[in-house]
Amino acid sequence: MRDTDYESAFEQTARALAGARCVAALTGAGISAESGVPTFRDAQTGLWEKFDPLQLATPRAFAEHPKLVWDWYTWRRELVAGVKPNPAHYALAEIERAVPECMVITQNVDGLHRRAGSRKLIELHGNIARVKCSREGTVVERWDSAGDEVPRCAACGALLRPDVVWFEEMLAPEAIDAAESMARRCDLMLVIGTSGEVYPAAALPSLAKACGALVVEINLSATTLSASADYCLRGPAGTILPALVNDAWPDASSIVATPRGRRSPPRPA
Ligand code: BV8
């Protein structure tokens, strides 16, 4: 990481953003935290307090305890349906409109980027709102959620499951290929709200850097990715990203709800 103070790192990032040809944004659970979606490393709340997400989000957990896993996803699906994108999501949608090429590469399954208006989007780990047949993989639009059993596929009778990538499952080749291609092509990669613990997503920032991109981490705290980032902007994504957009394009009619015009960067948390 370059040895520079916060103000300079912020200004350098805003300048790179304003002049960027191709921006990639790798996002993790932290970008949705300000929408009220618990991160993977937050202690699970209430009913789920005693379960470890890393253990529940696996094919083995579903095979051994399908109802428990199905109910966990139903709880998360209903939680996500009840929240809204936050200014960080809207800022990324703004960047997509402002630069020649932009791609959001998200590890999140909450669908908030699309709801905020991002259309150039790779959902590396799927989407919790989608449900598919656990045997054939066909996505189903409706299922019978009555009763105490996990719903079954009407076509083949296999259990239904969330359309997400569990640990030890392969990512969709077209998703990871597109993400890696973007990492090679971009001239700026923003790494937002991720602890950088989950592969192969966590390898994308170093790939971008090896291919010449400026890599900027936006996070509340240091992560395993911090050392390889050019700049680390410490603070909430919902504050930093809108400020970067307003600084990069001070006169744009931004929809990002923050005070207008050039301002000093938000102080680190
Ligand atoms: C695979 C969907 C091949 C499900 C998820 C090396 C190479 C390849 C694979 C591996 C490898 N080493 C290990 C592996 C295996 C494994 C892995 O990475 N394990 C980890 C735990 C070590 N990877 C896989 O299994 C992947 N598949 O590689 O296939 C293979 C096949 C067989 C065997 C081995 C390999 C599949 C991984 C996908 C798993 N599915 N999600 C679901 O959601 O239910 S991952 C899930 O956890 C999320 O999607 C997300 O990706 C991850 C959580 O990470 P983060 O998003 O970073 O969230 P976290 O809570 O950790 O951090 C939040 C951050 O935000 C913090 O830093 C915090 O400070 C910050 N923050 C908080 N608030 C804010 C903020 N920042 C800014 N503003 C704020 N307001």
Side-chain angles (χ1 to χ4, degrees):
M1 181 171 70
R2 299 184 194 185
D3 181 18
T4 180
D5 65 24
Y6 182 89
E7 190 121 5
S8 167
F10 180 89
E11 293 301 337
Q12 296 296 330
T13 303
R15 191 164 303 132
L17 187 55
R21 174 189 42 78
C22 179
V23 175
L26 174 65
T27 69
I31 200 169
S32 298
E34 293 163 80
S35 293
V37 182
T39 69
F40 247 64
R41 275 149 185 76
D42 284 341
Q44 290 289 320
T45 54
L47 180 66
W48 303 103
E49 209 164 352
K50 56 183 182 294
F51 295 103
D52 174 1
L54 297 182
Q55 300 306 319
L56 278 182
T58 64
R60 178 176 179 167
F62 186 65
E64 292 176 357
H65 311 285
K67 186 71 171 67
L68 175 72
V69 173
W70 175 265
D71 288 349
W72 182 53
Y73 280 93
T74 301
W75 172 72
R76 288 174 62 194
R77 191 176 306 118
E78 288 165 1
L79 181 145
V80 162
V83 302
K84 290 185 172 48
N86 68 59
H89 296 104
Y90 288 114
L92 288 183
E94 185 87 5
I95 292 172
E96 179 181 320
R97 286 188 284 274
V99 301
E101 189 179 2
C102 172
M103 183 69 75
V104 173
I105 304 165
T106 190
Q107 302 171 83
N108 300 338
V109 296
D110 57 31
L112 290 177
H113 285 300
R114 193 175 304 282
R115 286 172 56 190
S118 287
R119 289 297 172 264
K120 303 284 188 187
L121 176 64
I122 301 170
E123 292 179 318
L124 283 178
H125 297 155
N127 188 309
I128 201 168
R130 281 196 310 270
V131 167
K132 67 181 181 182
C133 170
S134 60
R135 181 183 294 146
E136 301 163 332
T138 37
V139 172
V140 298
E141 297 304 326
R142 275 176 302 285
W143 56 88
D144 173 11
S145 47
D148 230 6
E149 299 300 314
V150 176
R152 290 184 176 272
C153 169
C156 76
L159 293 178
L160 296 181
R161 57 162 283 181
D163 188 14
V164 298
V165 180
W166 280 328
F167 288 100
E168 292 167 34
E169 287 189 320
M170 302 293 283
L171 276 65
E174 63 275 11
I176 191 63
D177 290 349
E180 287 173 349
S181 162
M182 199 62 200
R184 289 192 187 91
R185 281 211 320 276
C186 68
D187 41 33
L188 171 62
M189 177 175 275
L190 302 173
V191 183
I192 309 157
T194 181
S195 59
E197 306 273 346
V198 175
Y199 286 83
L204 293 170
S206 48
L207 175 60
K209 189 164 175 67
C211 294
L214 183 77
V215 175
V216 179
E217 180 182 58
I218 297 171
N219 199 307
L220 293 178
S221 51
T223 72
T224 55
L225 302 173
S226 302
S228 61
D230 290 293
Y231 298 121
C232 292
L233 302 180
R234 288 280 166 267
T239 303
I240 293 176
L241 274 171
L244 281 172
V245 169
N246 287 332
D247 220 89
W249 300 285
D251 307 321
S253 58
S254 161
I255 60 162
V256 182
T258 47
R260 293 299 320 133
R262 204 171 188 80
R263 300 176 306 107
S264 62
R267 300 314 306 158

